[in-house]
Structures are given as C-alpha cells and as structure tokens.
C-alpha cells in the first residue's frame, strides 16, 4: 500500500546551486525527482532571485507557481501558496528613496574603481523587495560569469565589498549578503529567507527542512539554515541535494 503524504512536513529548497546549476535551467531528472518527493512531503522553493528568473530556471512557464506547494522569490518577500499570491513586500515604501539612493550611489562608486577580468551591464538591479548589486554586471555571458567566480574566490572581492557596505552604513538597518555566484543582496534586517517561515508556521507545518548551498556566515541561506524553526541541510550542488533527499525518503 502506498504510504500517505506527510502534510506536516515541508522540504524547502534554495534554487541556485541547490536545485539547478547557477542561473541554469532545472534538469528533467531533477524535475521528475521533485515530483516524486511531492508524494512523500510538501515541497517549496525559496530563491533569492525575482520571480521571472526563478520561473525561467524552473522550466520557463508560469505554471511553476502552481507546480510547487509554495514558491517564495526575492528571499521569501514575494510568496505564493498553490499558485495564489500570499505576500509581496515593497522595499521603496518600507525604506524610502533617500537611503536606497545613498546605498546605490555608494555601490556604483565602489564598483567604478574595481578592475575585473570583465565588466558588462546591469550592475544594480532594483527588485520589489531588495537591491541586487553585481560587480561583473548581470548581462555577462556564462564564460564571463565563470571568470568572475574564479576571480572572486581568489580575491574575496564580494567579501570585501560587503565589509565596506557595513562600514559605510552601520546603522541603516540593512543586511548585505553574498547571493548566488556573482552578486550581493541588499535588504532590510529581517527580510532574509527566514521571512517566509511565518507563513509556513501559520499553515501548521511541524517540520521545515531547508536545503541550501550558501549556508555559511555571510551567505543568503545562512539565517534560515540557522533558524530554530528549521532543520538546516548544507548541499554542495544539485547532485548532493538529490543524494541527501534520497537518503531521507527513498532508502528502503
């Protein structure tokens, strides 16, 4: 007899580096695997990117918001339950133009002095609930992205940038977190991925398993990974995610 789905448990996944290679589309194998997991537990996503990018990565059509029980974009500040919008925070309304412009101006000034292997376009992306700062530029090619990743690992560029942002804006009430492979996320304190947990707890989940690759201090998965309301799991890549889930739910 088929075992019943445990609706008191949710497996919540980061997207980039956890379910997909960075900014790449989910593989058919991983899609199938998540469908299989949905027969065991409730499944949700919480990504740092905006909804458009997450939809692209999850197969490119808006049905994605109905495909997962929960889908949270922009670090959980834009959220859907069974395809219905349940939350959408507004950064501009919350923080005001003045401080946001000061942060943007400082970031642009700082980036203008950086000499990198490549610089392309869209260095600042203003999303509904966060600012995304990208020293290489979000319109970089995959090869240029890889080049930046290598450079950043060697020179700790984003780490130093984050440190300078905190130095410049110590009391602004903002968090500066390394996000994905090439950028830094800027958002008000408390507007990290833990934000989505209030909706899950309210919906009666007893166990929230979170899987992410940026769980170390400074990464945008750190707060939710450490939170007392979750069981945190660090993954190296999508294969590792699959392996850990298999051990949890599909080992006889």
């Amino acid at each position: 007899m088929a075992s019943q789905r445990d609706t008191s448990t949710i497996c919540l996944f980061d997207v980039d580096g956890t379910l997909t290679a960075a900014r790449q589309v989910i593989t058919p194998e991983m899609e199938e695997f998540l469908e299989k997991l949905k027969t065991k537990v409730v499944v949700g996503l919480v990504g740092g990117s905006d909804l458009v990018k997450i939809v692209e990565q999850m197969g490119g059509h808006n049905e994605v918001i109905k495909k997962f029980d929960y889908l949270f974009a922009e670090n959980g500040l834009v959220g859907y339950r069974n395809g219905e919008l349940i939350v959408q925070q507004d950064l501009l309304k919350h923080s005001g133009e003045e401080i946001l412009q000061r942060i943007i101006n400082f970031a642009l000034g700082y980036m203008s002095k950086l000499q990198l292997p490549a610089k392309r376009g869209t260095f600042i992306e203003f999303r509904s609930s966060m600012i995304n700062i990208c020293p290489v530029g979000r319109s970089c090619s995959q090869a240029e992205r890889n080049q930046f990743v290598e450079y950043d690992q060697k020179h700790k560029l984003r780490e130093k940038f984050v440190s300078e942002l905190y130095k410049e804006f110590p009391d602004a009430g903002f968090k500066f977190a390394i996000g994905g492979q090439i950028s830094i996320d800027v958002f008000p304190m408390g507007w990290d991925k833990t934000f989505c947990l209030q909706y899950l707890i309210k919906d009666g989940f007893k166990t929230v398993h979170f899987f992410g690759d940026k769980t170390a201090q400074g990464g945008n998965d750190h707060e939710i990974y450490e939170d007392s309301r979750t069981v945190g799991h660090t993954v190296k890549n999508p294969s590792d995610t699959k392996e850990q889930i298999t051990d949890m739910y599909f080992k006889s």
Side-chain angles (χ1 to χ4, degrees):
M1 201 170 87
S3 60
Q4 212 178 345
R5 187 188 197 211
D6 177 5
T7 54
S8 70
T9 297
I10 181 168
C11 283
L12 194 59
F13 298 93
D14 166 51
V15 179
D16 254 14
T18 300
L19 293 180
T20 75
R23 287 298 300 128
Q24 300 298 302
V25 176
I26 191 168
T27 63
E29 292 76 28
M30 182 60 95
E31 264 190 291
E32 201 180 301
F33 186 73
L34 292 175
E35 281 301 315
K36 195 172 146 193
L37 180 60
K38 276 168 72 179
T39 66
K40 300 279 186 181
V41 291
V42 179
V43 176
L45 306 182
V46 56
S49 297
D50 59 30
L51 185 64
V52 172
K53 290 188 186 71
I54 290 176
V55 166
E56 271 173 20
Q57 282 181 263
M58 291 291 116
H61 46 80
N62 280 315
E63 286 308 299
V64 168
I65 61 170
K66 291 180 184 156
K67 199 172 188 174
F68 294 94
D69 301 287
Y70 291 82
L71 192 155
F72 295 100
E74 299 190 30
N75 276 359
L77 279 299
V78 178
Y80 292 84
R81 183 202 296 116
N82 300 322
E84 297 293 317
L85 185 69
I86 54 170
V87 56
Q88 178 149 21
Q89 291 296 99
D90 186 325
L91 177 64
L92 184 58
K93 204 180 280 182
H94 178 274
S95 302
E97 184 69 40
E98 192 198 340
I99 183 63
L100 297 177
Q101 215 172 117
R102 277 175 52 213
I103 291 168
I104 289 167
N105 288 345
F106 177 81
L108 288 169
Y110 185 91
M111 287 187 287
S112 73
K113 298 179 184 76
L114 295 175
Q115 190 66 40
L116 303 176
K119 272 188 181 178
R120 296 301 172 250
T122 316
F123 301 103
I124 302 279
E125 193 171 78
F126 197 98
R127 300 174 183 170
S128 66
S129 64
M130 70 164 82
I131 293 169
N132 183 265
I133 299 172
C134 183
V136 63
R138 296 202 68 90
S139 61
C140 62
S141 68
Q142 189 59 46
E144 288 157 351
R145 172 187 277 267
N146 296 343
Q147 213 177 22
F148 177 81
V149 169
E150 210 174 295
Y151 186 87
D152 185 43
Q153 281 168 352
K154 189 177 173 186
H155 299 281
K156 307 286 181 214
L157 183 138
R158 288 185 297 165
E159 238 175 75
K160 290 171 189 164
F161 197 168
V162 162
S163 172
E164 288 304 314
L165 283 160
Y166 276 121
K167 224 179 277 178
E168 187 68 19
F169 303 100
D171 306 312
F174 275 84
K175 185 95 182 162
F176 304 99
I178 291 169
Q181 286 187 309
I182 58 173
S183 57
I184 293 164
D185 291 333
V186 180
F187 46 85
M189 291 288 186
W191 282 26
D192 51 54
K193 288 182 179 177
T194 61
F195 192 86
C196 72
L197 295 176
Q198 60 189 297
Y199 301 98
L200 303 180
I201 301 307
K202 195 172 149 197
D203 286 351
F205 288 101
K206 290 185 174 63
T207 308
V208 180
H209 287 285
F210 171 75
F211 298 81
D213 66 322
K214 293 280 187 295
T215 57
Q217 183 80 46
N220 67 352
D221 295 328
H222 179 69
E223 289 80 10
I224 191 167
Y225 170 79
E226 289 276 296
D227 197 282
S228 61
R229 293 166 292 177
T230 69
V231 180
H233 306 264
T234 304
V235 301
K236 299 185 195 85
N237 49 43
S239 302
D240 188 31
T241 303
K242 211 168 160 185
E243 219 167 277
Q244 290 193 36
I245 290 288
T246 301
D247 284 344
M248 285 169 68
Y249 293 108
F250 300 111
K251 281 274 161 87
S252 50

